[in-house]
Amino acid sequence: RAIIIRNGEIIPMSREFTPETERQRLQFLALLRPELLGKEFTHLEFPRRIQPKELGKKMLYRDQNMNGWAYKKIEEDDLKFPLIFGEGKKARMMATIGVTRGLGDHDLKVFSSNIHIKPFLSCFPEVRVYDLTQYEHCPDDVLVLGTDGLWDVTNDKEVAAVVMEVLTSYEPNDPCRYTMVAQELVVRSRGVLKERGWRLANDKLGSGDDISVFVIPLGGPGNYT
């Protein structure tokens, strides 16, 4: 995921593709190709996991054509695990993976089954163009590009605060200032090792994922006016 910080303003340059944001695409594919679900999953979404004792009762649901919810009578086929389950960062497709776009993973299967997940993963990226010539950028204007390990524990405002804090401690012409920003973002996202594991400054758990960060200057070297 990437953001641009320009004159202190945060400009999102990408968005995350998750089972929630791509729910309708995934459900439509499952509707067209039900064999991809094996006999374990249903393409319909319910607010919670259905229990056998609820057969015959009414429950809210939605399919690939719906943004809102409607009621349906629960049938035996609805007892299957939903294709998309969970909310937010805990949302999973086929109870396995939390992202829906990527390269590779050709052999990835649902745990203890022969159901392949690859057909539901799209390799098509979202492309966003930013015209550098439309703005006059100063040395503090940067593009921050990071993996999940950064964004899982650090939001846009926190990243921007670190960027400004570190950059102001170096001269505008010092090329090391951008490397030091990236290093500081990695260090803060990992946290400090304590008795209860890696902890952030607010004592919350540090990132358990890999953390890679690029800080790319948008303006050339120069002095402030």
Side-chain angles (χ1 to χ4, degrees):
R1 191 154 69 82
I3 62 172
I4 281 177
I5 302 169
R6 187 185 68 214
N7 195 27
E9 178 187 2
I10 299 171
I11 305 170
M13 288 302 293
S14 65
R15 61 190 176 97
E16 296 172 344
F17 294 101
T18 69
E20 283 188 307
T21 63
E22 295 212 284
R23 174 185 65 83
Q24 291 179 304
R25 177 183 72 81
L26 299 172
Q27 288 181 324
F28 186 63
L29 175 59
L31 176 70
L32 295 179
R33 300 279 306 278
E35 70 276 8
L36 296 176
L37 301 176
K39 296 182 179 180
E40 297 184 28
F41 296 92
T42 172
H43 78 283
L44 298 180
E45 182 184 10
F46 300 91
R48 57 178 174 79
R49 184 75 192 278
I50 299 174
Q51 303 300 317
K53 63 182 179 181
E54 294 174 303
L55 278 170
K57 296 182 180 181
K58 288 184 178 180
M59 183 176 288
L60 290 171
Y61 86 103
R62 58 182 177 179
D63 62 19
Q64 69 286 343
N65 298 313
M66 301 165 60
N67 288 319
W69 299 79
Y71 279 105
K72 80 178 297 288
K73 184 179 179 181
I74 299 302
E75 303 170 359
E76 191 166 345
D77 201 49
D78 298 325
L79 297 178
K80 296 177 181 178
F81 205 88
L83 171 66
I84 300 162
F85 188 75
E87 297 179 351
K89 292 188 179 297
K90 294 183 178 180
R92 292 291 180 270
M93 180 177 64
M94 293 182 159
T96 305
I97 193 169
V99 296
T100 52
R101 298 202 184 192
L103 303 173
D105 286 327
H106 296 281
D107 297 322
L108 182 62
K109 296 181 181 179
V110 175
F111 182 71
S112 296
S113 80
N114 287 318
I115 300 175
H116 283 84
I117 293 177
K118 182 62 178 179
F120 291 96
L121 299 181
S122 172
C123 63
F124 293 100
E126 180 183 64
V127 177
R128 203 168 290 185
V129 177
Y130 179 86
D131 189 349
L132 288 169
T133 64
Q134 285 190 349
Y135 305 94
E136 186 174 341
H137 296 93
C138 74
D140 284 357
D141 294 339
V142 297
L143 168 71
V144 179
L145 180 67
T147 59
D148 290 350
L150 172 68
W151 304 111
D152 282 346
V153 298
T154 314
N155 61 40
D156 292 354
K157 289 184 178 180
E158 291 169 335
V159 167
V162 172
V163 168
M164 299 309 297
E165 175 188 332
V166 176
L167 289 182
T168 53
S169 63
Y170 288 85
E171 291 295 326
N173 291 321
D174 188 343
C176 294
R177 64 203 306 255
Y178 306 109
T179 303
M180 296 310 296
V181 173
Q183 178 176 300
E184 187 66 16
L185 288 171
V186 170
V187 169
R188 293 198 190 191
S189 299
R190 177 65 72 207
V192 177
L193 183 59
K194 298 183 179 180
E195 291 183 2
R196 295 177 296 126
W198 291 87
R199 295 281 168 172
L200 305 178
N202 57 12
D203 205 40
K204 291 184 178 181
L205 279 175
S207 178
D209 207 342
D210 63 281
I211 311 171
S212 298
V213 180
F214 293 88
V215 178
I216 303 168
L218 302 180
N223 294 318
Y224 292 102
T225 58

